[in-house]
Amino acid sequence: MSIRITAALFSITALLAGSAFAAEHVIEPAGTKPSVTGSSKIFTGTVRTDSVSRPDADSHYSATYVTFEPGARTFWHTHPAGQRLIVLQGRGRVGTDTEVREIRPGDVVWCPAGVRHWHGASPETAMTHLALTNVKDGKNVEWLEAVSDADYAKAPGTY
């Protein structure tokens, strides 16, 4: 049986099943969760967060779109089980105690467990990333102090 015929039969079967799809999948329509302005206790500058998912029994991570206006950034922080950032648009920076790196759309950043870091937009351009943050023992982040303007201003590739 060809792939096209198999795909067509699968599609017809799914249509005839009707509610089977609804019973197996949960769809949250776009725009049903409100955007949240980032707190000045963990961000410098203007930041918006849009929650995609929270940890539950089946997925032990949260997923959040984070949009940073130019110059905006997180405070220093660590993650007990790591974090993956997928840059969606704009240009940004990610910094550790030893380096600052530029990040662009399509880049995927792994922030290892326990590594002190920050991330945000470049000084001139907004940036949005999808943050996938793992949870360990009910905790996903430990927030620290604000990133100084001097640390933020260091050119990518230097420190």
Side-chain angles (χ1 to χ4, degrees):
M1 189 179 293
S2 78
I3 292 175
R4 282 189 206 153
I5 294 171
T6 303
L9 288 173
F10 179 78
S11 296
I12 291 168
T13 302
L15 286 172
L16 293 174
S19 64
F21 181 81
E24 295 175 11
H25 295 82
V26 175
I27 298 174
E28 295 179 25
T32 59
K33 294 180 183 177
S35 296
V36 176
T37 300
S39 169
S40 62
K41 294 179 180 179
I42 58 174
F43 295 108
T44 298
T46 303
V47 177
R48 184 184 78 236
T49 64
D50 293 280
S51 177
V52 176
S53 67
R54 306 302 311 156
D56 59 30
D58 297 317
S59 58
H60 305 283
Y61 63 90
S62 63
T64 306
Y65 293 113
V66 185
T67 301
F68 299 85
E69 290 301 315
R73 58 210 180 252
T74 67
F75 278 26
W76 287 100
H77 59 284
T78 62
H79 299 283
Q83 180 184 57
R84 192 169 317 278
L85 307 174
I86 303 169
V87 183
L88 302 173
Q89 64 183 23
R91 201 173 77 209
R93 293 179 173 183
V94 61
T96 67
D97 287 317
T98 59
E99 69 177 342
V100 175
R101 302 277 303 272
E102 184 173 87
I103 53 177
R104 295 179 174 269
D107 289 350
V108 178
V109 179
W110 172 245
C111 305
V115 173
R116 188 173 112 109
H117 69 282
W118 60 269
H119 32 97
S122 74
E124 307 84 19
T125 307
M127 186 268 296
T128 299
H129 64 49
L130 175 62
L132 302 169
T133 308
N134 296 312
V135 175
K136 182 177 181 181
D137 299 326
K139 191 167 182 177
N140 67 356
V141 64
E142 180 180 343
W143 290 106
L144 305 169
E145 73 278 7
V147 174
S148 70
D149 289 342
D151 281 345
Y152 174 77
K154 293 178 179 174
T158 65
Y159 214 76

